[in-house]
Amino acid sequence: MNNFTFQNQTKIIFGQNTLEQTGLESKKYSDHVLLVYGGGSIKKYGVYDKVTTSLKEENIEFTELEGIRPNPLLKKVREGIDICRNNDIDFILAVGGGSVIDSAKAIAAGVPYEGDVWDFFSGQAEIKEALPVGTVLTIPAAGSESSPAAVINKQDEDLKWDIGSDLLRPKFSILNPEVTFTLPPYQTACGAADIMAHIMERYFTQTKNVEITDHLCEGTMKTIIKNVPLVLEEPENYAARAEIMWAGTIAHNDLLGTGREEDWASHSIEHEISALYEDIAHGAGLAVIFPAWMKYVYRENVKRFARFASRVWGVETDFENLEWTALQGIQAVEEFFNSIGLSTSLKELGVDTADLEEMAEKCTTRGTVGNFKELDKNDVLEIYKLAT
Ligand code: NZQ
Ligand code: ZN
């Protein structure tokens, strides 16, 4: 096990009747908040009413920034920064999923910074301070509700880059699984693929003696595999929605990566897809890329892949032929994604094979990606080809 420091400041408020605490929690930081949300689902399904009622009860003024779209845009972040500066707003409340929360985090970093917020993404500046952020999560997926990261699309250059700082971890996140009853099956499935991916990025490591986190990863993956089919069958199954929602946070609050080197190649490879094809959801891209990555790298540590097959998917280990066992595990991942309604082919997603070369080039402009096996441009291109 490697040395590590683990600190996660986000207060999680989980369960039924918790949206009502939004005002009380926000009040600890400000009397005037920027309320950030997406394309309208929160208004349609009553979340907006509950949140704003709670803010009003605490006499908190709120200014709104609506219309954050999936694969969120830099121009909305800049708009949010201007609103905060012009109105002396010093707290951001994000109500939505990863796209909304990431926009809120980028705004939080941008307000106190004199230059342009994209400087943080391009590596030209380091985040030294940020406004506090709170969240009301509506979709278990990105894990942004307690992660230090934010991912933003710069549309004019087809870039999708991320920033990370402990200063960006939300102060609090309110998670009521009932809010997720209204998720369309496709969004539920994309979220599940992202959660699985966050765990697998950590699970596939070359670090030895990481038993505790191996077990935690395996248990969290099995929870997703069991409960996602249940909610697709019965969207208002509270028990199953609750398991998925908490798993989504645990998958990406950094606990599962403690003491081990993490990989993150598949995320880098996917981000080039949702940078160029803004209608493709991050989770949908991951469902295609992860199995292809696995097929490309499993020989780097067949034993780990065989363990994954056996412990997570219940494949009987063939000790005479560990490679066969490993491949059964990869097949199980593909079958699972397909069974919940996700494609595992780039062509089916609508990606033009003529774009693969450029995507591989952009993916590796800042160096190789991944740690399980370090991948250069040619490796990434091979993975895209395996995924077509
Ligand atoms: O915009 P609205 O109308 O709210 O609809 C949203 C959106 O269309 C809908 N939705 C959300 N909650 C709902 C709902 N519909 C009905 N009922 C509800 N309760 O779902 C759609 C997707 O929302 P989005 O926020 O885009 O989803 P997600 O949470 O998957 O976020 C994806 C973004 O997060 C980034 C991704 O790259 C992507 O841009 N990530 C952020 C990370 C982080 N900050 O740590 C890590 C991840 O790996 C990921 O890269
Ligand atoms: Zn992700």
Side-chain angles (χ1 to χ4, degrees):
M1 196 189 295
N2 297 338
N3 291 1
F4 66 88
T5 302
F6 175 70
Q7 182 174 16
N8 189 317
Q9 67 169 354
T10 309
K11 175 180 183 180
I12 302 290
I13 300 166
F14 190 97
Q16 289 158 304
N17 306 316
T18 46
L19 263 49
E20 289 74 2
Q21 294 180 45
T22 312
L24 208 60
E25 290 299 323
S26 301
K27 188 83 175 173
K28 293 175 185 169
Y29 302 95
S30 184
D31 288 325
H32 189 177
V33 311
L34 181 72
L35 178 62
V36 186
Y37 56 96
S41 72
I42 68 161
K43 283 196 171 155
K44 192 167 169 194
Y45 300 119
V47 175
Y48 176 89
D49 284 344
K50 282 194 179 143
V51 166
T52 52
T53 301
S54 175
L55 292 174
K56 283 174 196 159
E57 276 170 9
E58 297 299 328
N59 294 317
I60 296 172
E61 193 185 338
F62 53 91
T63 303
E64 303 188 20
L65 176 66
E66 64 178 308
I68 304 293
R69 38 154 279 189
N71 297 321
L73 300 180
L74 179 61
K75 66 177 181 199
K76 292 298 280 187
V77 171
R78 289 185 175 139
E79 197 181 319
I81 292 170
D82 286 343
I83 297 174
C84 287
R85 286 182 182 157
N86 295 337
N87 296 278
D88 283 333
I89 295 174
D90 55 1
F91 180 71
I92 328 265
L93 179 64
V95 183
S99 299
V100 171
I101 300 172
D102 287 2
S103 301
K105 288 174 173 177
I107 294 166
V111 172
Y113 175 62
E114 282 181 4
D116 179 55
V117 65
W118 189 253
D119 292 350
F120 297 128
F121 292 84
S122 62
Q124 284 169 278
E126 197 187 324
I127 301 170
K128 299 231 169 70
E129 54 178 324
L131 298 185
V133 172
T135 90
V136 176
L137 183 67
T138 62
I139 169 172
S144 187
E145 67 275 11
S146 75
S147 85
V151 195
I152 299 291
N153 283 51
K154 188 168 189 291
Q155 211 172 17
D156 52 347
E157 293 178 62
D158 289 328
L159 296 176
K160 183 173 186 179
W161 284 356
D162 61 298
I163 45 173
S165 164
D166 277 326
L167 293 166
L168 300 183
R169 285 193 204 266
K171 298 292 179 199
F172 66 85
S173 284
I174 296 180
L175 279 59
N176 181 346
E178 285 173 334
V179 166
T180 70
F181 288 174
T182 56
L183 278 170
Y186 188 68
Q187 290 297 343
T188 298
C190 288
D194 197 15
I195 296 169
M196 287 295 286
H198 293 160
I199 307 167
M200 295 189 292
E201 296 280 16
R202 294 173 165 96
Y203 189 78
F204 290 103
T205 183
Q206 304 287 7
T207 310
K208 299 212 176 353
N209 304 317
V210 284
E211 200 178 311
I212 172 73
T213 40
D214 271 350
H215 284 299
L216 291 170
C217 287
E218 288 158 2
T220 315
M221 284 190 272
K222 285 168 82 165
T223 303
I224 292 296
I225 294 161
K226 178 181 166 196
N227 286 284
V228 172
L230 298 182
V231 301
L232 290 177
E233 193 70 29
E234 192 192 340
E236 301 200 4
N237 181 332
Y238 180 84
R241 289 283 191 192
E243 299 290 352
I244 296 168
M245 202 168 203
W246 189 217
T249 303
I250 288 174
H252 201 40
N253 72 355
D254 289 337
L255 176 67
L256 302 188
T258 45
R260 52 205 288 146
E261 186 175 58
E262 304 178 7
D263 188 65
W264 297 101
S266 299
H267 265 68
S268 298
I269 298 171
E270 187 296 306
H271 280 164
E272 294 309 326
I273 301 174
S274 48
L276 200 57
Y277 294 85
E278 288 173 356
D279 292 337
I280 295 181
H282 170 62
L286 285 168
V288 174
I289 293 303
F290 232 109
W293 173 84
M294 290 174 155
K295 287 175 200 164
Y296 194 73
V297 305
Y298 77 92
R299 288 190 189 86
E300 299 295 310
N301 191 337
V302 174
K303 245 173 112 175
R304 177 144 285 274
F305 270 89
R307 176 187 169 124
F308 172 70
S310 143
R311 303 267 178 124
V312 179
W313 301 99
V315 174
E316 203 176 323
T317 307
D318 181 345
F319 291 99
E320 302 296 312
N321 192 350
L322 278 186
E323 185 163 351
W324 177 88
T325 312
L327 288 170
Q328 295 299 304
I330 298 171
Q331 195 181 325
V333 175
E334 273 189 304
E335 283 170 5
F336 173 69
F337 287 151
N338 293 155
S339 75
I340 62 173
L342 298 175
S343 167
T344 43
S345 142
L346 278 180
K347 267 195 202 138
E348 276 177 34
L349 271 193
V351 173
D352 186 344
T353 48
D355 290 330
L356 301 184
E357 176 94 27
E358 185 198 335
M359 281 158 48
E361 174 74 42
K362 279 169 72 187
C363 182
T364 49
T365 39
R366 291 182 286 181
T368 58
V369 293
N371 292 310
F372 189 78
K373 176 179 166 63
E374 285 186 15
L375 306 171
D376 63 18
K377 184 197 155 183
N378 285 334
D379 297 315
V380 171
L381 186 57
E382 287 309 312
I383 290 170
Y384 283 133
K385 285 181 183 164
L386 275 174
T388 49

